[in-house]
Amino acid sequence: HVQLVESGGGSAQAGGSLGLSCVASGYIDRHNCMAWFRQPPGKEREAVAAIYRGGGGTYYTNPVKGRFTISHDNAKNTAYLQMNSLEPEDTGMYYCAAVRCTLSTGLRVSEYYAWGQGTQVTVS
């Protein structure tokens, strides 16, 4: 099965930037997408962004469009989330996920294969 290890995150002031990384290892052939989710304090986990591993499509939830950028490096089996113009509402625990998904009409996940351990993002 696939294992995911996240890094990055931390604290930033509103308007600042942070970056997250997620390295996949193990059996990495089943998932076609990498996704980032976040869970704000006291709220449910929500999808933030997703990308096809082979390229060709991305998804962003409306609140982060134009501010966050998801990317994936196939050679390094690493997904990234660059977060700019951060807002206090971006505060939460961020998780990467290896999933099987389609992005043609929004993000539709048919199977979850693995989750990262989570990394805290705090914006003040």
Side-chain angles (χ1 to χ4, degrees):
H1 54 277
V2 61
Q3 295 90 38
L4 303 176
V5 177
E6 300 178 36
S7 60
S11 298
Q13 293 190 339
S17 299
L18 288 171
L20 305 179
S21 299
C22 175
V23 181
S25 61
Y27 185 50
I28 59 173
D29 288 342
R30 291 189 297 174
H31 65 283
N32 68 328
C33 296
M34 291 296 297
W36 289 96
F37 291 75
R38 67 184 179 190
Q39 187 164 15
K43 297 184 179 181
E44 294 186 353
R45 192 173 298 187
E46 60 183 3
V48 175
I51 188 169
Y52 287 127
R53 287 174 57 203
T58 57
Y59 160 85
Y60 297 95
T61 188
N62 284 337
V64 310
K65 284 182 180 178
R67 301 189 297 118
F68 290 12
T69 302
I70 188 171
S71 59
H72 186 264
D73 186 329
N74 282 334
K76 297 181 178 179
N77 293 320
T78 301
Y80 303 94
L81 186 68
Q82 179 62 37
M83 303 179 291
N84 299 328
S85 301
L86 285 163
E87 303 172 353
E89 293 74 21
D90 296 318
T91 294
M93 188 69 76
Y94 282 67
Y95 301 88
C96 63
V99 302
R100 176 152 294 278
C101 84
T102 59
L103 302 177
S104 56
T105 56
L107 173 61
R108 296 184 182 273
V109 177
S110 58
E111 193 160 356
Y112 294 84
Y113 294 105
W115 290 92
Q117 79 277 16
T119 185
Q120 179 68 35
V121 171
T122 303
V123 184
S124 59

